[in-house]
Amino acid sequence: GELPPGEVALRFDDFPEGALALFSTLSPAPVSARVRDYLGRLRFIAPTVDGTALKARGLRPGPAFGKILRALRAAWLDGEVVTAEDEARLLEKLIRQFGEVA
């Protein structure tokens, strides 16, 4: 099926580049195009917020960090976030949802 870019990245992030390149060459054209898009563009897109910024906001390192950072990245990839201001608004929402303040 047609997965959003954030889901594609989530599925491919843990695979080595070489394995994905081989998978791309052995896959039908639509799948190969998605893999090539991941290798050429999607894997490099990341939120501006990182773990250091979350700690500075008073959050405790733990599972919430990963949830927040994955959600921010998916939002950038899927076009739900297009500016730093959009990211800041979403971050506030995610901190309320997942945050564990130290």
Side-chain angles (χ1 to χ4, degrees), residues 9-102:
L10 182 64
R11 291 178 185 221
F12 290 157
D13 278 344
D14 292 331
F15 289 96
E17 180 180 347
L20 289 171
L22 178 61
F23 178 64
S24 174
T25 55
L26 299 174
S27 297
V31 174
S32 180
R34 295 302 296 268
V35 175
R36 286 192 318 272
D37 186 39
Y38 171 80
L39 289 172
R41 185 178 65 91
L42 298 179
R43 70 183 172 144
F44 301 111
I45 296 172
T48 62
V49 173
D50 60 11
T52 302
L54 294 179
K55 285 181 194 176
R57 298 288 303 267
L59 274 69
R60 273 192 301 244
F65 266 43
K67 290 176 185 175
I68 291 169
L69 294 174
R70 279 190 300 277
L72 289 173
R73 181 171 182 230
W76 277 104
L77 289 166
D78 295 342
E80 297 165 11
V81 166
V82 294
T83 66
E85 292 79 18
D86 292 342
E87 184 182 65
R89 281 190 292 277
L90 179 56
L91 177 59
E92 290 302 321
K93 178 181 172 186
L94 293 168
I95 287 173
R96 287 191 303 276
Q97 184 176 353
F98 298 117
E100 300 173 18
V101 178

